[in-house]
Amino acid sequence: MKTRQIISLILALLFCIGASALTSCGEKNPSGGDTTTAAPTPAGTTAAPGTEDTTAAPAPADTTAAPVVTTAEVTTEAEDEFDFELNEYGTLEADQKAKLIEKLPALLPDGTPIEDFVRPYCLDDVLDKDGFLTHYYTEGNSGATVQIVTEEQGAIYGTGYRFAAYGKTAGGDRGEITAISYYEANPKGAKGVIFYVDFSHVADNPEKPLCASVTFNNNTYRANKADNGSVGYYYLDGLWVETKNVNACRMEIPANFVGWIYIPATSFVLNSDKSPAVDEQGKFIDITVNNMRCYTDGYVYGSDDTTYIIFDEIIYVY
């Protein structure tokens, strides 16, 4: 009897040891938590509520080549300060356009409203991180002196260009710049060109009349009819005043003039042979514009950049 009991006890002990080795079930860790390891959640699936999936899916091999950057990133504070949408024709959102229209004369000299226009040479610009102009670049005798000015500094809307009141030589000749756009422009169908100038920072020259103009593609098309036959207008005290070109294409304006100048398309000619730049309706023909040259004269030429001229908003009006 005792022998059978001993054998039964030995068999029970062996069975228990074997079961424990196979299952490890019911064992608690010192903190009371179950130490049984759950199977990892497959990648791309969601763990059951109340559990946290700490198994990271293996990252796929990156077979995509890094993109090649071909243009410099422009990051300037000025871009945040001025939010003027600029495309190839310098278009504006409706609210911004309304603000510009408020600063324009209400009517052209012929009595039609100034409402339909494009502004490829609006001169709204910023500097890139290297200090270069972003939307245009400038050449001409005063090109190296160009600075961007805000409305507080003399621009009529957005930003404008200020350049020294001399050309190749300080104190020696007139100031002029060529603004070259990175965007395509064409005045076809426009009735004329209106632009803003500020001569309040130059001294009057009693021997010459103050004058200014803009021309297409340097001097290819300009208001230069024979015997000063090109008509222009300047806006003074709420009225358009008719004037004529003097000293080639430049329109005569009063001393220290600040304001708008308008030149009808009918005043422009192809400079090489004086043929009209307009169609039978008196509107600009098809001209691919690469640049606008801004001319000045009739003031005391500056000896440094403390005397200067501002151009802004060169607009094609329809």
Side-chain angles (χ1 to χ4, degrees):
M1 184 71 179
K2 290 182 178 180
T3 302
R4 290 179 179 177
Q5 290 175 342
I6 292 171
I7 292 171
S8 299
L9 182 60
I10 291 171
L11 290 173
L13 181 61
L14 290 173
F15 177 80
C16 183
I17 293 171
S20 175
L22 289 171
T23 64
S24 299
C25 61
E27 182 181 0
K28 303 292 182 180
N29 64 23
S31 64
D34 193 339
T35 59
T36 303
T37 304
T41 304
T45 63
T46 304
T51 64
E52 181 180 357
D53 180 11
T54 59
T55 305
D62 184 8
T63 59
T64 305
V68 178
V69 178
T70 58
T71 57
E73 180 182 0
V74 178
T75 53
T76 67
E77 293 181 1
E79 283 184 312
D80 295 330
E81 184 178 356
F82 300 106
D83 187 23
F84 301 98
E85 181 181 354
L86 179 74
N87 65 12
E88 60 186 350
Y89 287 115
T91 57
L92 295 169
E93 297 293 339
D95 58 336
Q96 295 173 325
K97 185 176 180 179
K99 291 178 182 177
L100 175 55
I101 288 175
E102 289 178 359
K103 299 186 176 186
L104 285 161
L107 305 173
L108 290 176
D110 66 3
T112 59
I114 303 178
E115 295 176 339
D116 188 10
F117 55 80
V118 293
R119 46 198 290 275
Y121 288 85
C122 57
L123 306 184
D124 288 345
D125 215 340
V126 292
L127 299 178
D128 65 17
K129 59 185 178 182
D130 297 315
F132 294 104
L133 298 170
T134 302
H135 298 135
Y136 308 89
Y137 64 98
T138 58
E139 294 179 351
N141 293 339
S142 308
T145 69
V146 167
Q147 299 179 36
I148 296 174
V149 291
T150 65
E151 292 178 28
E152 291 75 20
Q153 296 168 322
I156 188 63
Y157 183 80
T159 63
Y161 281 4
R162 157 185 164 172
F163 55 92
Y166 62 86
K168 293 179 181 179
T169 307
D173 52 3
R174 57 175 172 72
E176 54 93 355
I177 64 168
T178 302
I180 304 166
S181 177
Y182 294 112
Y183 304 91
E184 190 176 305
N186 197 313
K188 183 179 180 180
K191 298 175 66 173
V193 180
I194 188 171
F195 59 98
Y196 182 84
V197 294
D198 182 345
F199 283 93
S200 63
H201 303 279
V202 296
D204 180 37
N205 183 348
E207 297 180 2
K208 293 182 179 180
L210 189 67
C211 54
S213 69
V214 293
T215 69
F216 297 98
N217 297 339
N218 295 320
N219 289 328
T220 304
Y221 290 92
R222 61 181 184 173
N224 190 26
K225 290 183 176 180
D227 300 322
N228 295 342
S230 289
V231 174
Y233 301 86
Y234 59 87
Y235 196 67
L236 184 66
D237 298 329
L239 297 173
W240 284 111
V241 180
E242 184 175 322
T243 186
K244 290 282 188 76
N245 61 313
V246 295
N247 194 0
C249 60
R250 293 179 283 286
M251 295 290 163
E252 182 175 356
I253 50 180
N256 302 118
F257 179 76
V258 178
W260 295 98
I261 298 173
Y262 175 72
I263 308 174
T266 51
S267 288
F268 284 83
V269 294
L270 178 61
N271 196 46
S272 60
D273 61 8
K274 301 299 186 289
S275 59
V278 296
D279 59 20
E280 62 279 1
Q281 296 179 326
K283 298 179 180 180
F284 276 117
I285 59 176
D286 188 353
I287 303 171
T288 298
V289 179
N290 300 313
N291 65 72
M292 299 293 293
R293 178 167 283 182
C294 303
Y295 278 118
T296 70
D297 209 346
Y299 48 87
V300 177
Y301 304 142
S303 58
D304 54 42
D305 61 2
T306 59
T307 57
Y308 56 87
I309 300 151
I310 294 173
F311 267 70
D312 195 12
E313 293 295 328
I314 303 171
I315 297 173
Y316 306 162
V317 184
Y318 294 84

